[in-house]
Amino acid sequence: KPNRAHCTKSVQGCRVQGACMSEVVLIVGDDPVARRLVEAMVTRFGYRALTADGGDAALALLLGENPTAVDCVVLDLVMPDLDGLGEVSRHARIPVIADESCKTVADIPALVGRVDGINIKLAKCGGLRGALKMIAVARAHHLMVMVGCMIESSLANTAAAHLTPPVDIVALDGA
């Protein structure tokens, strides 16, 4: 059971609050209400929460003179001072796949250079034709392609399964 002793500490526009244990979650976002909600959830589960009110503060914390070690980052991907998606991709050691920021073929060009791949969901992209167009455009931009789902039925997942030969990752586990 996690240690429930609480501590609070401020560092360059960032605040640490929660259980004093080794698991540290950095919460980055410009919306103070969203940050507080995530912080409350993280501390409720026994983790230390470290918050930053924007990208610059988070980067200073992670990459500054005295970098802070964190185990996980919860990142608002759209902030005025940071391209969150681009920063995650630049520093991640594993592929970053765009999920909710890529729903149709029109979303792909803006993601080039910011992510390693896209996740296609039939229910959001306009069906099989939309998905095939997304695969072609993603491949033209040298992006990985994942086919996923939300809570589709087995029938809908069967349709999506027909897209699997040319893709890199398949996650059809909705129903």
Side-chain angles (χ1 to χ4, degrees):
K1 194 158 186 159
N3 177 0
R4 297 290 178 188
H6 286 271
C7 59
T8 301
K9 175 181 161 189
S10 291
V11 181
Q12 300 177 20
C14 303
R15 185 169 54 101
V16 178
Q17 178 177 328
C20 297
M21 43 192 304
S22 63
E23 294 89 356
V24 178
V25 178
L26 174 59
I27 303 157
V28 185
D30 61 341
D31 180 347
V33 174
R35 270 196 328 268
R36 282 193 300 271
L37 288 171
V38 175
E39 180 181 11
M41 179 187 65
V42 164
T43 56
R44 187 175 311 122
F45 284 102
Y47 298 99
R48 276 181 60 207
L50 176 63
T51 62
D53 58 9
D56 291 338
L59 288 174
L61 197 70
L62 294 171
L63 306 173
E65 287 182 29
N66 298 314
T68 301
V70 298
D71 299 296
C72 176
V73 178
V74 177
L75 178 66
D76 179 354
L77 296 179
V78 180
M79 290 182 285
D81 66 340
L82 177 77
D83 170 17
L85 208 48
E87 284 300 315
V88 168
S89 290
R90 240 183 314 288
H91 297 288
R93 295 180 186 190
I94 58 174
V96 174
I97 308 294
D99 187 19
E100 293 303 316
S101 53
C102 188
K103 295 179 181 141
T104 69
V105 71
D107 299 323
I108 296 172
L111 296 168
V112 174
R114 298 173 62 213
V115 297
D116 300 301
I118 62 163
N119 184 13
I120 299 171
K121 295 177 184 172
L122 281 185
K124 292 186 176 187
C125 74
L128 290 170
R129 275 198 188 138
L132 290 170
K133 288 178 188 175
M134 288 181 77
I135 292 169
V137 171
R139 291 297 187 212
H141 289 291
H142 308 288
L143 293 171
M144 293 175 67
V145 178
M146 174 178 174
V147 172
C149 63
M150 296 176 296
I151 54 168
E152 276 85 315
S153 67
S154 298
L155 184 60
N157 279 343
T158 300
H162 288 83
L163 300 170
T164 61
V167 305
D168 303 295
I169 303 167
V170 178
L172 298 173
D173 58 352

